[in-house]
Amino acid sequence: MSSDRSPKTFPTPVPKLKPNTFAFEQWPMVKPTGFREYDARWLFPQEINLMGVQALGLGLGTLIHERGVRPDIVTGHDFRSYSSAIKLALIAGMQAAGLRVKDIGLALSPMAYFGQFALDCPCVAMVTASHNDNGWTGVKMGAERPMTFGPDEMGRLKEIVTTGAFRYRDGGAYEFVSDFAQVYLDDLVARAKPVSRKLKVVAACGNGTAGAFAPALLERLGVEVIPLDVEPDHSFPRYNPNPEDMAMLHAIADKVRETGADVGLGFDGDGDRCGVVDDEGEEIFADKIGVMLARDLSKLHPEATFVVDVKSTGLYAADPELQSRGVRTDYWKTGHSYIKRRVNELSALAGFEKSGHFFFNAPVGRGYDDGLLTAIAVIEMLDRNPGQTMADLYRALPKTWGSPTMSPHCADEVKYGVVEAVTERFRALQAAGEPVGGHAITDLVTVNGVRITTADGTWGLVRASSNKPELVVVVESPVSEARLREMFAAVDGVLRQHPEVGAYNQTI
């Protein structure tokens, strides 16, 4: 039995320190806003220093013991210049708090989630900033496989770390697990079905972590792989490894057209998401890919339940083919932890997020998000439809006009208040019977921000980003591009009443 030691040994973190000072090297710095809804993200070293990361590890170990979870934890790090150092500082804190650490080295987030099962660790701490720009770091954490932390756990972790309420314990240990990537890839290949169709696939990795693993997996599936930006370069010289960003999708589309590939697949910075471009170079937003996969999987599993996030297309509920198979769709909060937990609660077959986080539950997967498993699902869908191209399958969907995910800047300290005010504004418009974009509001979904739907099925969403100082705006219309633009103008008009809302990262 491990024993408690003094909780006062490690200094209580402060929210701000000036770099290149003695204090910066003597004291832990942790900016409180880095504790997000379902993971942690900081600019390094502006918002957290290495002692601050140690404090995070101490806090995580304290929380795990507080929750009565067996203290075995798997950890890994993504490909950034500082991620290994961040991980080692985190490990120092976790060991001091009595956690038994299994380190899988350079890894994708889903590889760490898989490690919870393969290495029998209830807990995970994956050092990654996911798709955030260079300079960001963070940790995705969980203590109940396959789920990751939600707001309750993150709130308690923030409280422990920022108040210095650490509990040192004996019993901490460290083990490096060599060649674990091979175990992970072997498991994925074993779960895949043999591909009988001759396929040429572009694998785009944005010079991030996935380049070390995704091309090798695809080759083992028996497809011809055309690598794109798979060489490691943590400056991300071409574009951010984010399949929601149009720069990455455009690069994949160009390569598909140049090479005559059957499909283009793009993996994000930590490999838990996958973006898709069809054989004609059409960039398919991930929510539409989800509808295509739901169609494919519901043939094998009629009356399946799917969970989708509020940023996603209305087709999950409206598609006649899904309706004919008795498919049930549950629209839920955006965020990998929220959708993962909801998939588990409802025993859904899969969960789909517009961001490209796809969660395949048994018998397809283990319930966590894995971009490489998503790639396998797309390839198997093509294999099961040998007479149709990816573009054919896309054209078979009812037509809608949708925007990319658009993110206007809004400081972390005020973004939730802005969304609350915007939600109240749309509630007032609905109560007064006033139109939005020329049409009456028929529905407001407020489970996560506000999703405004009008009588013709056109909708717009405003929510606070869970991992960056931004808002999130998405619009879609089943009617026309003109209606899409009218809805965007209406939503943006309400946002512009708030001077805290800045410029968009991309727009229509």
Side-chain angles (χ1 to χ4, degrees), residues 123-193:
C123 308
V124 65
M126 175 65 196
V127 173
T128 178
S130 188
H131 63 277
N132 282 27
D133 299 330
N134 227 14
W136 286 90
T137 190
V139 187
K140 292 180 177 177
M141 294 161 278
E144 184 189 357
R145 60 192 172 205
M147 266 82 75
T148 37
F149 284 171
D152 290 346
E153 297 94 338
M154 290 304 300
R156 177 59 183 145
L157 180 62
K158 177 181 179 178
E159 183 181 29
I160 292 169
V161 173
T162 56
T163 64
F166 310 118
R167 300 296 300 180
Y168 271 72
R169 289 173 183 261
D170 296 329
Y174 175 83
E175 175 189 345
F176 185 80
V177 184
S178 57
D179 300 321
F180 187 69
Q182 200 58 43
V183 179
Y184 163 72
L185 294 173
D186 287 348
D187 179 77
L188 282 173
V189 172
R191 297 173 80 79
K193 296 173 178 62

Side-chain angles (χ1 to χ4, degrees), residues 2 103 114 133 135 186 278 283 296 308 374 405 434 505:
S2 64
D103 180 2
F114 169 69
D133 299 330
D186 287 348
D278 74 18
E283 300 149 5
D296 183 58
V308 300
T374 300
T405 299
E434 292 188 35
N505 65 333

Side-chain angles (χ1 to χ4, degrees), residues 7-37:
K8 300 294 185 187
T9 311
F10 200 80
T12 299
V14 296
K16 191 165 180 61
L17 288 171
K18 187 179 178 184
N20 199 20
T21 62
F22 291 129
F24 192 84
E25 297 299 324
Q26 291 174 311
W27 210 266
M29 175 182 68
V30 180
K31 188 178 180 185
T33 53
F35 294 93
R36 313 276 168 166
E37 286 181 50

Side-chain angles (χ1 to χ4, degrees), residues 488-502:
F488 175 61
V491 168
D492 187 56
V494 173
L495 287 178
R496 293 302 142 200
Q497 294 168 20
H498 298 272
E500 309 95 321
V501 180

Side-chain angles (χ1 to χ4, degrees), residues 185-209:
L185 294 173
D186 287 348
D187 179 77
L188 282 173
V189 172
R191 297 173 80 79
K193 296 173 178 62
V195 179
S196 56
R197 182 175 177 179
K198 185 173 167 56
L199 292 171
K200 189 187 291 188
V201 179
V202 171
C205 301
N207 306 108
T209 323

Side-chain angles (χ1 to χ4, degrees), residues 55 66 72 92 98 101 124-125 132 174 176 204 235 238 258 295 334 383-384 394 398 419 430 454 489 497 500:
E66 183 177 283
D72 292 300
V101 180
V124 65
N132 282 27
Y174 175 83
F176 185 80
S235 70
R238 291 246 291 146
E258 175 197 324
R295 280 182 159 198
T334 292
D383 200 46
R384 279 193 283 266
Y394 183 37
V419 170
Q430 184 186 32
T454 57
Q497 294 168 20
E500 309 95 321

